Amino acid sequence: MKTAHLPHGHTTQRNRRKFRLLLVSLLSLASLPLLAANPASGKAPEAAPASVTAPPASLPALAPVAPAAIATPDTAPLAAQLEALQKATAPAGTTSLVKTVMQRAFSLLGTPYRYGGNSPEGGFDCSGLVGYVFRTIGIDLPRVSGAMAGQGTPVANRDALAEGDLVFFGRRGHIDHVGIYIGNGQFLHAPRTGRDVTVSSLTSGYWAQKFMEARRLAKGD
C-alpha cells in the first residue's frame, strides 16, 4: 500500500509547525513560576552574585572616646601646663624682677576665677590676677584692665613682646581683658567665670583676634 504525498513536502512542514507550537507551550509553562515571583516587571529576578555574603548577625561595639583625650591649648590638662611651664627658664640677661613675675604667675595656675577677686584664697578676675602678681615686685597697678593699659611703656608689636609684658584685649577699641605674656606666643590669665587661671595662645584662636596692645612694666632692678 502506498502513501500519498502532497506536493512540495506539506506533510513535513505541518509536522514542524506542530513541534514548534508544542515547544513554545512547554517553555511558557516552565517560565510561569519565575514570572509570578516578579509580576510587575515581567522578568525573572536575578540571582545574587556568589561573592556576596550575608552580613553578620551583630557588630562589635565601638569603644567610647574619652573626653579627656580631646584638648585644645586652653583646655589642656593643668598638670601638662604646669610641667611645660616649670621647664621654662628666663633667657640670658632677663632681670630678677621679670623672673619673680614669671615664677609668681606660674604658681597661680589653676586658681579659680572669681569676679572682683584679687587673692589666691578668694580667686582672681583678670586684672585682680595681674595686680596681685606685680605687687610682689613692688609695682602697684590700677584695679581695672583699661586703666592698666596706661601704665609702663608701649610694646611696638607682638614680635617685640618679652616675658612679663602685659597684653591687653578688647573689641571696638575698648580694653576689657589683660594677661601676662610668658613667651612662645602664649600668655597667662584668668579667662572668665567657670574657668581657672590658665595659659592661652596669642598667635591663633579667640584671643589672637581680640589682642589690642601690650605694655612693659618690669624693666630692671
Side-chain angles (χ1 to χ4, degrees):
M1 183 175 179
K2 295 181 179 180
T3 303
H5 295 282
L6 295 174
H8 306 296
H10 286 181
T11 302
T12 302
Q13 291 176 2
R14 188 179 299 135
N15 289 338
R16 287 176 178 172
R17 287 194 204 99
K18 291 180 179 179
F19 178 75
R20 289 195 189 100
L21 289 172
L22 179 61
L23 182 60
V24 170
S25 299
L26 290 174
L27 290 174
S28 298
L29 291 172
S31 66
L32 284 175
L34 295 177
L35 292 172
N38 192 10
S41 65
K43 298 180 181 179
E46 296 181 0
S51 61
V52 177
T53 58
S58 61
L59 295 174
L62 297 176
V65 178
I70 304 174
T72 64
D74 283 354
T75 59
L78 179 60
Q81 291 184 18
L82 286 169
E83 181 179 358
L85 292 173
Q86 285 170 353
K87 294 178 181 179
T89 56
T94 301
T95 67
S96 59
L97 287 178
V98 173
K99 289 180 181 179
T100 302
V101 167
M102 300 296 287
Q103 292 170 356
R104 175 58 64 184
F106 292 163
S107 72
L108 298 172
L109 279 169
T111 305
Y113 179 96
R114 185 173 70 83
Y115 181 76
N118 58 7
S119 70
E121 299 77 19
F124 292 109
D125 60 14
C126 66
S127 55
L129 170 69
V130 171
Y132 177 86
V133 169
F134 276 85
R135 279 197 299 276
T136 65
I137 61 171
I139 296 177
D140 289 324
L141 294 173
R143 182 62 182 86
V144 297
S145 58
M148 286 181 180
Q151 306 297 305
T153 58
V155 178
N157 53 57
R158 292 188 221 202
D159 294 335
L161 284 170
E163 293 176 339
D165 288 347
L166 299 189
V167 285
F168 296 92
F169 307 85
R171 56 181 178 175
R172 300 175 182 175
H174 175 69
I175 292 173
D176 56 17
H177 192 70
V178 61
I180 302 172
Y181 187 71
I182 62 172
N184 298 318
Q186 296 181 310
F187 70 102
L188 186 147
H189 64 142
R192 56 178 171 79
T193 302
R195 295 284 305 278
D196 299 336
V197 173
T198 189
V199 171
S200 298
S201 173
L202 192 60
T203 60
S204 63
Y206 176 83
W207 294 110
Q209 298 174 6
K210 300 296 182 182
F211 175 78
M212 292 186 63
E213 61 178 281
R215 290 273 172 164
R216 185 161 298 157
L217 300 179
K219 297 180 181 179
D221 293 326

